[in-house]
Amino acid sequence: MPPFPPREERDFASLVPQEVLRRGLAYYQEGRVLRVFRVGEKVLGLVQGSAEAPYRVEVGPGLWGRCTCPYPEFPCKHAVALLYAYVEEKAPDLAPLIEALTPEEARGLLKKLALLPEVGLYLAEALAPEKAFLEGVKDLRRAFRLRGGQEEARTLSLRLDRVGRKEVEAYLEALLEAPFDPEPYLRVALERYLALTPRLSFLLNLYLRHPSEALREAFLQVAGERGEEALHLLRGGDGLELKRALRAELLFRLGRVEEGLSALREGLEGVGDYLLLVERLMALGRVEEALRYAEEARDWFGKDPRLLPLLDLLVAHRGSPEDHRARFGMRPNLEDYLALKSKLGREFYRERKALLRQVRDPALLARIYLLEEDWKALDRLLRNAPPEAYPALAEALEEKLPEEAKRLYLEAARREVEKGTRKAYREAARLLGRLSRLDPKAAREAALALLQAYPRRRALKEELGFWLSEKPHGPMTE
């Protein structure tokens, strides 16, 4: 293993990714290393990064260490910059000097150093880490009120291993007030909390306030070892039925399957409750029972879009007209339309108009009319279709009505170019690519005509420039 602290660049360069090494060297050469000193086998210092306050860096043997920057891996560019500063400037080792101090001299020196704001912060964290951490939590809450706090949350996350349960609980509670997604910070804090004799009641209260996956798994992990205590806490209800769902999941994890199923059945009030029960029954291989509850949910909740997974299940395993009809009413599609036509026979034509009235997608209507060869209805649809539907309609018509599809692609491309944005030009190029599959010559002529119509639009020329070549080989269409 290379010596540490390093004597020259090669003692650490081979252990650092090249990009991190390059950026760290640049930081050192820019003079961003504000302080560098050595204490025994550790190199410590301050490095100015992108944040207003400099980052505190500590590097030890094996390039183990920490930095208060948000970079998730170590060593970061700030640590590398610190090492470059050390090997170039050869900071003295403070350890023997500190050991030579008498107790009275050490206390006097610490009192003087404590008057310096930067050093005082270090001392507060070292001499009273719990108190300093709780002060940091107060600052975090204030930052949240100002719609910030991510930098403060990162800093506290790096100090979790120095504090106890009380401090971690304060941090976890504060994170629930974050104006951003706190999940990544919750996971880090919960990992520390689970190593500190966690309180089940605390975890449950946090989860009821903020039903995140991290909190749910943390509670269940502890509850699996303290089953009866957890089940006692989960008695009674709550506004979102979260306790009941947790209780059922815990019973399953404890191997008490029938009790878990009973807990799920007791609370069948909403679509989410049926989804949980049906999913569990399917996992247990109890398909017929799962289908009965899926059918019950279909009959109770009608067109609630959350029913779609249950309707997919019913169609896949049984596929009755009622199942296809319910799914088509919620998500019109060609599969259910054709299934109803096949299964209802003559009765289908009594429902056809009502079914078609539920379809809002012009492209789906076009496919239906093509299959049924209802040319009058298709003609009305094309005459009244909104321009934004032209690309999807053209794709639906490509096989049976290629000339009409070409017309729609051309018109859609022209409308995109009229918008005058690069994004629209790129979409126009894509539409012309689709057209070229039907008629390469027409696609090239259309592109050239658009370029001639708007000769000063550089972005348009860049997006359609492909078509300026004499023999295009077919552009990307997607």
Side-chain angles (χ1 to χ4, degrees), residues 433-464:
R434 302 280 304 191
L435 172 60
S436 70
R437 301 192 311 179
L438 301 173
D439 190 338
K441 182 179 178 182
R444 184 169 186 273
E445 289 175 353
L448 294 175
L450 289 169
L451 290 167
Q452 290 171 2
Y454 303 98
R456 296 183 179 180
R457 296 187 182 182
R458 173 189 279 182
L460 178 63
K461 185 175 182 180
E462 290 174 356
E463 297 298 333
L464 301 187

PDB file of all heavy atoms in Angstrom, residues 433-464:
ATOM      1  N   GLY A 433     -39.473  11.885 -42.107  1.00  0.00           N
ATOM      2  CA  GLY A 433     -38.869  10.552 -42.121  1.00  0.00           C
ATOM      3  C   GLY A 433     -39.922   9.463 -42.216  1.00  0.00           C
ATOM      4  O   GLY A 433     -39.743   8.469 -42.937  1.00  0.00           O
ATOM      5  N   ARG A 434     -41.028   9.654 -41.495  1.00  0.00           N
ATOM      6  CA  ARG A 434     -42.133   8.692 -41.615  1.00  0.00           C
ATOM      7  C   ARG A 434     -42.696   8.697 -43.041  1.00  0.00           C
ATOM      8  O   ARG A 434     -42.990   7.646 -43.610  1.00  0.00           O
ATOM      9  CB  ARG A 434     -43.246   9.054 -40.633  1.00  0.00           C
ATOM     10  CG  ARG A 434     -42.849   9.109 -39.185  1.00  0.00           C
ATOM     11  CD  ARG A 434     -42.766   7.767 -38.528  1.00  0.00           C
ATOM     12  NE  ARG A 434     -43.986   7.001 -38.617  1.00  0.00           N
ATOM     13  CZ  ARG A 434     -44.206   5.880 -37.932  1.00  0.00           C
ATOM     14  NH1 ARG A 434     -43.269   5.420 -37.119  1.00  0.00           N
ATOM     15  NH2 ARG A 434     -45.328   5.207 -38.065  1.00  0.00           N
ATOM     16  N   LEU A 435     -42.829   9.897 -43.600  1.00  0.00           N
ATOM     17  CA  LEU A 435     -43.343  10.011 -44.963  1.00  0.00           C
ATOM     18  C   LEU A 435     -42.412   9.326 -45.958  1.00  0.00           C
ATOM     19  O   LEU A 435     -42.875   8.688 -46.923  1.00  0.00           O
ATOM     20  CB  LEU A 435     -43.504  11.492 -45.320  1.00  0.00           C
ATOM     21  CG  LEU A 435     -43.843  11.814 -46.775  1.00  0.00           C
ATOM     22  CD1 LEU A 435     -45.154  11.176 -47.189  1.00  0.00           C
ATOM     23  CD2 LEU A 435     -43.889  13.321 -46.994  1.00  0.00           C
ATOM     24  N   SER A 436     -41.109   9.412 -45.729  1.00  0.00           N
ATOM     25  CA  SER A 436     -40.154   8.848 -46.683  1.00  0.00           C
ATOM     26  C   SER A 436     -40.288   7.332 -46.800  1.00  0.00           C
ATOM     27  O   SER A 436     -39.886   6.751 -47.799  1.00  0.00           O
ATOM     28  CB  SER A 436     -38.720   9.225 -46.279  1.00  0.00           C
ATOM     29  OG  SER A 436     -38.328   8.536 -45.106  1.00  0.00           O
ATOM     30  N   ARG A 437     -40.836   6.687 -45.767  1.00  0.00           N
ATOM     31  CA  ARG A 437     -41.058   5.245 -45.855  1.00  0.00           C
ATOM     32  C   ARG A 437     -42.145   4.921 -46.877  1.00  0.00           C
ATOM     33  O   ARG A 437     -42.174   3.842 -47.463  1.00  0.00           O
ATOM     34  CB  ARG A 437     -41.456   4.678 -44.499  1.00  0.00           C
ATOM     35  CG  ARG A 437     -40.404   4.914 -43.422  1.00  0.00           C
ATOM     36  CD  ARG A 437     -40.673   4.105 -42.186  1.00  0.00           C
ATOM     37  NE  ARG A 437     -42.045   4.225 -41.731  1.00  0.00           N
ATOM     38  CZ  ARG A 437     -42.540   3.597 -40.672  1.00  0.00           C
ATOM     39  NH1 ARG A 437     -41.758   2.820 -39.953  1.00  0.00           N
ATOM     40  NH2 ARG A 437     -43.800   3.762 -40.316  1.00  0.00           N
ATOM     41  N   LEU A 438     -43.062   5.888 -47.081  1.00  0.00           N
ATOM     42  CA  LEU A 438     -44.134   5.697 -48.062  1.00  0.00           C
ATOM     43  C   LEU A 438     -43.742   6.242 -49.435  1.00  0.00           C
ATOM     44  O   LEU A 438     -44.076   5.661 -50.464  1.00  0.00           O
ATOM     45  CB  LEU A 438     -45.412   6.401 -47.581  1.00  0.00           C
ATOM     46  CG  LEU A 438     -45.988   5.950 -46.236  1.00  0.00           C
ATOM     47  CD1 LEU A 438     -47.146   6.849 -45.835  1.00  0.00           C
ATOM     48  CD2 LEU A 438     -46.459   4.501 -46.327  1.00  0.00           C
ATOM     49  N   ASP A 439     -43.037   7.382 -49.425  1.00  0.00           N
ATOM     50  CA  ASP A 439     -42.708   8.036 -50.696  1.00  0.00           C
ATOM     51  C   ASP A 439     -41.462   8.896 -50.499  1.00  0.00           C
ATOM     52  O   ASP A 439     -41.557  10.089 -50.156  1.00  0.00           O
ATOM     53  CB  ASP A 439     -43.889   8.905 -51.151  1.00  0.00           C
ATOM     54  CG  ASP A 439     -43.722   9.428 -52.561  1.00  0.00           C
ATOM     55  OD1 ASP A 439     -42.569   9.493 -53.035  1.00  0.00           O
ATOM     56  OD2 ASP A 439     -44.738   9.784 -53.187  1.00  0.00           O
ATOM     57  N   PRO A 440     -40.271   8.341 -50.702  1.00  0.00           N
ATOM     58  CA  PRO A 440     -39.037   9.102 -50.474  1.00  0.00           C
ATOM     59  C   PRO A 440     -38.959  10.387 -51.291  1.00  0.00           C
ATOM     60  O   PRO A 440     -38.491  11.413 -50.804  1.00  0.00           O
ATOM     61  CB  PRO A 440     -37.936   8.115 -50.877  1.00  0.00           C
ATOM     62  CG  PRO A 440     -38.565   6.765 -50.753  1.00  0.00           C
ATOM     63  CD  PRO A 440     -40.004   6.948 -51.090  1.00  0.00           C
ATOM     64  N   LYS A 441     -39.420  10.325 -52.537  1.00  0.00           N
ATOM     65  CA  LYS A 441     -39.359  11.501 -53.392  1.00  0.00           C
ATOM     66  C   LYS A 441     -40.228  12.626 -52.846  1.00  0.00           C
ATOM     67  O   LYS A 441     -39.809  13.794 -52.787  1.00  0.00           O
ATOM     68  CB  LYS A 441     -39.800  11.136 -54.805  1.00  0.00           C
ATOM     69  CG  LYS A 441     -39.734  12.299 -55.788  1.00  0.00           C
ATOM     70  CD  LYS A 441     -40.173  11.866 -57.178  1.00  0.00           C
ATOM     71  CE  LYS A 441     -40.151  13.050 -58.141  1.00  0.00           C
ATOM     72  NZ  LYS A 441     -40.623  12.655 -59.487  1.00  0.00           N
ATOM     73  N   ALA A 442     -41.455  12.292 -52.420  1.00  0.00           N
ATOM     74  CA  ALA A 442     -42.357  13.310 -51.882  1.00  0.00           C
ATOM     75  C   ALA A 442     -41.788  13.922 -50.605  1.00  0.00           C
ATOM     76  O   ALA A 442     -41.921  15.135 -50.373  1.00  0.00           O
ATOM     77  CB  ALA A 442     -43.725  12.695 -51.606  1.00  0.00           C
ATOM     78  N   ALA A 443     -41.147  13.094 -49.774  1.00  0.00           N
ATOM     79  CA  ALA A 443     -40.564  13.607 -48.534  1.00  0.00           C
ATOM     80  C   ALA A 443     -39.458  14.603 -48.835  1.00  0.00           C
ATOM     81  O   ALA A 443     -39.367  15.679 -48.211  1.00  0.00           O
ATOM     82  CB  ALA A 443     -40.028  12.450 -47.701  1.00  0.00           C
ATOM     83  N   ARG A 444     -38.600  14.283 -49.828  1.00  0.00           N
ATOM     84  CA  ARG A 444     -37.496  15.182 -50.165  1.00  0.00           C
ATOM     85  C   ARG A 444     -38.023  16.480 -50.775  1.00  0.00           C
ATOM     86  O   ARG A 444     -37.540  17.571 -50.445  1.00  0.00           O
ATOM     87  CB  ARG A 444     -36.534  14.496 -51.127  1.00  0.00           C
ATOM     88  CG  ARG A 444     -35.311  15.333 -51.459  1.00  0.00           C
ATOM     89  CD  ARG A 444     -34.256  14.514 -52.185  1.00  0.00           C
ATOM     90  NE  ARG A 444     -33.040  15.291 -52.356  1.00  0.00           N
ATOM     91  CZ  ARG A 444     -32.809  16.102 -53.377  1.00  0.00           C
ATOM     92  NH1 ARG A 444     -33.701  16.215 -54.332  1.00  0.00           N
ATOM     93  NH2 ARG A 444     -31.680  16.784 -53.456  1.00  0.00           N
ATOM     94  N   GLU A 445     -38.996  16.383 -51.627  1.00  0.00           N
ATOM     95  CA  GLU A 445     -39.569  17.586 -52.239  1.00  0.00           C
ATOM     96  C   GLU A 445     -40.209  18.483 -51.188  1.00  0.00           C
ATOM     97  O   GLU A 445     -40.078  19.711 -51.227  1.00  0.00           O
ATOM     98  CB  GLU A 445     -40.604  17.190 -53.284  1.00  0.00           C
ATOM     99  CG  GLU A 445     -39.982  16.563 -54.541  1.00  0.00           C
ATOM    100  CD  GLU A 445     -41.037  16.062 -55.514  1.00  0.00           C
ATOM    101  OE1 GLU A 445     -42.232  16.080 -55.136  1.00  0.00           O
ATOM    102  OE2 GLU A 445     -40.664  15.672 -56.644  1.00  0.00           O
ATOM    103  N   ALA A 446     -40.888  17.863 -50.206  1.00  0.00           N
ATOM    104  CA  ALA A 446     -41.521  18.653 -49.148  1.00  0.00           C
ATOM    105  C   ALA A 446     -40.469  19.362 -48.304  1.00  0.00           C
ATOM    106  O   ALA A 446     -40.625  20.537 -47.939  1.00  0.00           O
ATOM    107  CB  ALA A 446     -42.377  17.746 -48.270  1.00  0.00           C
ATOM    108  N   ALA A 447     -39.390  18.659 -47.992  1.00  0.00           N
ATOM    109  CA  ALA A 447     -38.325  19.261 -47.187  1.00  0.00           C
ATOM    110  C   ALA A 447     -37.691  20.440 -47.924  1.00  0.00           C
ATOM    111  O   ALA A 447     -37.466  21.512 -47.339  1.00  0.00           O
ATOM    112  CB  ALA A 447     -37.272  18.209 -46.851  1.00  0.00           C
ATOM    113  N   LEU A 448     -37.398  20.256 -49.195  1.00  0.00           N
ATOM    114  CA  LEU A 448     -36.802  21.334 -49.975  1.00  0.00           C
ATOM    115  C   LEU A 448     -37.734  22.534 -50.078  1.00  0.00           C
ATOM    116  O   LEU A 448     -37.301  23.691 -50.012  1.00  0.00           O
ATOM    117  CB  LEU A 448     -36.430  20.826 -51.365  1.00  0.00           C
ATOM    118  CG  LEU A 448     -35.305  19.772 -51.403  1.00  0.00           C
ATOM    119  CD1 LEU A 448     -35.119  19.258 -52.823  1.00  0.00           C
ATOM    120  CD2 LEU A 448     -34.009  20.371 -50.876  1.00  0.00           C
ATOM    121  N   ALA A 449     -39.048  22.272 -50.231  1.00  0.00           N
ATOM    122  CA  ALA A 449     -40.015  23.361 -50.322  1.00  0.00           C
ATOM    123  C   ALA A 449     -40.058  24.155 -49.007  1.00  0.00           C
ATOM    124  O   ALA A 449     -40.143  25.391 -49.016  1.00  0.00           O
ATOM    125  CB  ALA A 449     -41.401  22.795 -50.641  1.00  0.00           C
ATOM    126  N   LEU A 450     -39.988  23.466 -47.879  1.00  0.00           N
ATOM    127  CA  LEU A 450     -40.008  24.149 -46.587  1.00  0.00           C
ATOM    128  C   LEU A 450     -38.739  24.977 -46.401  1.00  0.00           C
ATOM    129  O   LEU A 450     -38.797  26.111 -45.885  1.00  0.00           O
ATOM    130  CB  LEU A 450     -40.137  23.121 -45.457  1.00  0.00           C
ATOM    131  CG  LEU A 450     -41.511  22.442 -45.340  1.00  0.00           C
ATOM    132  CD1 LEU A 450     -41.450  21.262 -44.382  1.00  0.00           C
ATOM    133  CD2 LEU A 450     -42.555  23.455 -44.865  1.00  0.00           C
ATOM    134  N   LEU A 451     -37.605  24.468 -46.823  1.00  0.00           N
ATOM    135  CA  LEU A 451     -36.354  25.208 -46.706  1.00  0.00           C
ATOM    136  C   LEU A 451     -36.360  26.454 -47.600  1.00  0.00           C
ATOM    137  O   LEU A 451     -35.834  27.507 -47.224  1.00  0.00           O
ATOM    138  CB  LEU A 451     -35.174  24.301 -47.061  1.00  0.00           C
ATOM    139  CG  LEU A 451     -34.864  23.193 -46.034  1.00  0.00           C
ATOM    140  CD1 LEU A 451     -33.895  22.183 -46.627  1.00  0.00           C
ATOM    141  CD2 LEU A 451     -34.279  23.804 -44.759  1.00  0.00           C
ATOM    142  N   GLN A 452     -36.962  26.329 -48.767  1.00  0.00           N
ATOM    143  CA  GLN A 452     -37.046  27.480 -49.671  1.00  0.00           C
ATOM    144  C   GLN A 452     -38.032  28.517 -49.141  1.00  0.00           C
ATOM    145  O   GLN A 452     -37.843  29.725 -49.316  1.00  0.00           O
ATOM    146  CB  GLN A 452     -37.474  27.015 -51.055  1.00  0.00           C
ATOM    147  CG  GLN A 452     -36.396  26.202 -51.779  1.00  0.00           C
ATOM    148  CD  GLN A 452     -36.912  25.566 -53.055  1.00  0.00           C
ATOM    149  OE1 GLN A 452     -38.078  25.751 -53.426  1.00  0.00           O
ATOM    150  NE2 GLN A 452     -36.053  24.801 -53.725  1.00  0.00           N
ATOM    151  N   ALA A 453     -39.074  28.049 -48.433  1.00  0.00           N
ATOM    152  CA  ALA A 453     -40.079  28.977 -47.902  1.00  0.00           C
ATOM    153  C   ALA A 453     -39.515  29.793 -46.726  1.00  0.00           C
ATOM    154  O   ALA A 453     -39.954  30.920 -46.477  1.00  0.00           O
ATOM    155  CB  ALA A 453     -41.318  28.210 -47.454  1.00  0.00           C
ATOM    156  N   TYR A 454     -38.563  29.207 -46.001  1.00  0.00           N
ATOM    157  CA  TYR A 454     -37.984  29.894 -44.837  1.00  0.00           C
ATOM    158  C   TYR A 454     -36.454  29.858 -44.942  1.00  0.00           C
ATOM    159  O   TYR A 454     -35.774  29.206 -44.142  1.00  0.00           O
ATOM    160  CB  TYR A 454     -38.437  29.219 -43.540  1.00  0.00           C
ATOM    161  CG  TYR A 454     -39.941  29.167 -43.380  1.00  0.00           C
ATOM    162  CD1 TYR A 454     -40.655  28.009 -43.713  1.00  0.00           C
ATOM    163  CD2 TYR A 454     -40.641  30.262 -42.889  1.00  0.00           C
ATOM    164  CE1 TYR A 454     -42.025  27.944 -43.560  1.00  0.00           C
ATOM    165  CE2 TYR A 454     -42.018  30.217 -42.732  1.00  0.00           C
ATOM    166  CZ  TYR A 454     -42.710  29.059 -43.075  1.00  0.00           C
ATOM    167  OH  TYR A 454     -44.071  29.011 -42.929  1.00  0.00           O
ATOM    168  N   PRO A 455     -35.876  30.557 -45.900  1.00  0.00           N
ATOM    169  CA  PRO A 455     -34.431  30.440 -46.160  1.00  0.00           C
ATOM    170  C   PRO A 455     -33.550  31.012 -45.050  1.00  0.00           C
ATOM    171  O   PRO A 455     -32.370  30.684 -44.969  1.00  0.00           O
ATOM    172  CB  PRO A 455     -34.256  31.234 -47.462  1.00  0.00           C
ATOM    173  CG  PRO A 455     -35.393  32.207 -47.464  1.00  0.00           C
ATOM    174  CD  PRO A 455     -36.533  31.495 -46.834  1.00  0.00           C
ATOM    175  N   ARG A 456     -34.078  31.861 -44.178  1.00  0.00           N
ATOM    176  CA  ARG A 456     -33.247  32.506 -43.166  1.00  0.00           C
ATOM    177  C   ARG A 456     -33.246  31.758 -41.821  1.00  0.00           C
ATOM    178  O   ARG A 456     -32.614  32.217 -40.872  1.00  0.00           O
ATOM    179  CB  ARG A 456     -33.716  33.943 -42.944  1.00  0.00           C
ATOM    180  CG  ARG A 456     -33.558  34.823 -44.178  1.00  0.00           C
ATOM    181  CD  ARG A 456     -33.968  36.252 -43.879  1.00  0.00           C
ATOM    182  NE  ARG A 456     -33.809  37.110 -45.053  1.00  0.00           N
ATOM    183  CZ  ARG A 456     -34.089  38.414 -45.070  1.00  0.00           C
ATOM    184  NH1 ARG A 456     -34.545  38.990 -43.951  1.00  0.00           N
ATOM    185  NH2 ARG A 456     -33.913  39.116 -46.171  1.00  0.00           N
ATOM    186  N   ARG A 457     -33.955  30.676 -41.758  1.00  0.00           N
ATOM    187  CA  ARG A 457     -34.033  29.943 -40.485  1.00  0.00           C
ATOM    188  C   ARG A 457     -32.905  28.908 -40.416  1.00  0.00           C
ATOM    189  O   ARG A 457     -33.005  27.819 -40.979  1.00  0.00           O
ATOM    190  CB  ARG A 457     -35.394  29.273 -40.333  1.00  0.00           C
ATOM    191  CG  ARG A 457     -36.545  30.279 -40.251  1.00  0.00           C
ATOM    192  CD  ARG A 457     -37.855  29.599 -39.933  1.00  0.00           C
ATOM    193  NE  ARG A 457     -38.968  30.532 -39.887  1.00  0.00           N
ATOM    194  CZ  ARG A 457     -40.223  30.205 -39.589  1.00  0.00           C
ATOM    195  NH1 ARG A 457     -40.509  28.927 -39.315  1.00  0.00           N
ATOM    196  NH2 ARG A 457     -41.176  31.102 -39.575  1.00  0.00           N
ATOM    197  N   ARG A 458     -31.834  29.284 -39.739  1.00  0.00           N
ATOM    198  CA  ARG A 458     -30.664  28.409 -39.668  1.00  0.00           C
ATOM    199  C   ARG A 458     -31.002  27.079 -38.979  1.00  0.00           C
ATOM    200  O   ARG A 458     -30.571  26.016 -39.426  1.00  0.00           O
ATOM    201  CB  ARG A 458     -29.536  29.107 -38.914  1.00  0.00           C
ATOM    202  CG  ARG A 458     -28.359  28.184 -38.668  1.00  0.00           C
ATOM    203  CD  ARG A 458     -27.334  28.800 -37.740  1.00  0.00           C
ATOM    204  NE  ARG A 458     -26.477  29.719 -38.450  1.00  0.00           N
ATOM    205  CZ  ARG A 458     -25.459  30.382 -37.870  1.00  0.00           C
ATOM    206  NH1 ARG A 458     -25.241  30.233 -36.583  1.00  0.00           N
ATOM    207  NH2 ARG A 458     -24.697  31.186 -38.591  1.00  0.00           N
ATOM    208  N   ALA A 459     -31.750  27.147 -37.880  1.00  0.00           N
ATOM    209  CA  ALA A 459     -32.082  25.917 -37.151  1.00  0.00           C
ATOM    210  C   ALA A 459     -32.882  24.954 -38.021  1.00  0.00           C
ATOM    211  O   ALA A 459     -32.691  23.732 -37.961  1.00  0.00           O
ATOM    212  CB  ALA A 459     -32.872  26.252 -35.884  1.00  0.00           C
ATOM    213  N   LEU A 460     -33.761  25.515 -38.873  1.00  0.00           N
ATOM    214  CA  LEU A 460     -34.540  24.663 -39.775  1.00  0.00           C
ATOM    215  C   LEU A 460     -33.611  23.972 -40.769  1.00  0.00           C
ATOM    216  O   LEU A 460     -33.767  22.768 -41.033  1.00  0.00           O
ATOM    217  CB  LEU A 460     -35.582  25.508 -40.512  1.00  0.00           C
ATOM    218  CG  LEU A 460     -36.445  24.761 -41.538  1.00  0.00           C
ATOM    219  CD1 LEU A 460     -37.279  23.687 -40.854  1.00  0.00           C
ATOM    220  CD2 LEU A 460     -37.342  25.737 -42.301  1.00  0.00           C
ATOM    221  N   LYS A 461     -32.644  24.716 -41.283  1.00  0.00           N
ATOM    222  CA  LYS A 461     -31.701  24.126 -42.234  1.00  0.00           C
ATOM    223  C   LYS A 461     -30.875  23.030 -41.569  1.00  0.00           C
ATOM    224  O   LYS A 461     -30.589  21.991 -42.176  1.00  0.00           O
ATOM    225  CB  LYS A 461     -30.792  25.210 -42.802  1.00  0.00           C
ATOM    226  CG  LYS A 461     -29.858  24.720 -43.894  1.00  0.00           C
ATOM    227  CD  LYS A 461     -29.062  25.872 -44.493  1.00  0.00           C
ATOM    228  CE  LYS A 461     -28.150  25.378 -45.623  1.00  0.00           C
ATOM    229  NZ  LYS A 461     -27.370  26.484 -46.225  1.00  0.00           N
ATOM    230  N   GLU A 462     -30.507  23.235 -40.296  1.00  0.00           N
ATOM    231  CA  GLU A 462     -29.730  22.220 -39.590  1.00  0.00           C
ATOM    232  C   GLU A 462     -30.537  20.945 -39.382  1.00  0.00           C
ATOM    233  O   GLU A 462     -30.002  19.839 -39.477  1.00  0.00           O
ATOM    234  CB  GLU A 462     -29.266  22.777 -38.238  1.00  0.00           C
ATOM    235  CG  GLU A 462     -28.208  23.856 -38.365  1.00  0.00           C
ATOM    236  CD  GLU A 462     -27.880  24.498 -37.029  1.00  0.00           C
ATOM    237  OE1 GLU A 462     -28.542  24.143 -36.025  1.00  0.00           O
ATOM    238  OE2 GLU A 462     -26.972  25.349 -36.983  1.00  0.00           O
ATOM    239  N   GLU A 463     -31.834  21.092 -39.080  1.00  0.00           N
ATOM    240  CA  GLU A 463     -32.666  19.915 -38.817  1.00  0.00           C
ATOM    241  C   GLU A 463     -33.085  19.203 -40.099  1.00  0.00           C
ATOM    242  O   GLU A 463     -33.229  17.979 -40.117  1.00  0.00           O
ATOM    243  CB  GLU A 463     -33.910  20.305 -38.005  1.00  0.00           C
ATOM    244  CG  GLU A 463     -33.612  20.850 -36.622  1.00  0.00           C
ATOM    245  CD  GLU A 463     -32.917  19.834 -35.736  1.00  0.00           C
ATOM    246  OE1 GLU A 463     -33.100  18.614 -35.957  1.00  0.00           O
ATOM    247  OE2 GLU A 463     -32.175  20.248 -34.826  1.00  0.00           O
ATOM    248  N   LEU A 464     -33.312  19.980 -41.172  1.00  0.00           N
ATOM    249  CA  LEU A 464     -33.745  19.373 -42.439  1.00  0.00           C
ATOM    250  C   LEU A 464     -32.617  19.287 -43.464  1.00  0.00           C
ATOM    251  O   LEU A 464     -32.855  18.891 -44.610  1.00  0.00           O
ATOM    252  CB  LEU A 464     -34.910  20.179 -43.043  1.00  0.00           C
ATOM    253  CG  LEU A 464     -36.181  20.315 -42.205  1.00  0.00           C
ATOM    254  CD1 LEU A 464     -37.276  20.988 -43.032  1.00  0.00           C
ATOM    255  CD2 LEU A 464     -36.676  18.976 -41.705  1.00  0.00           C
TER     256      LEU A 464
END
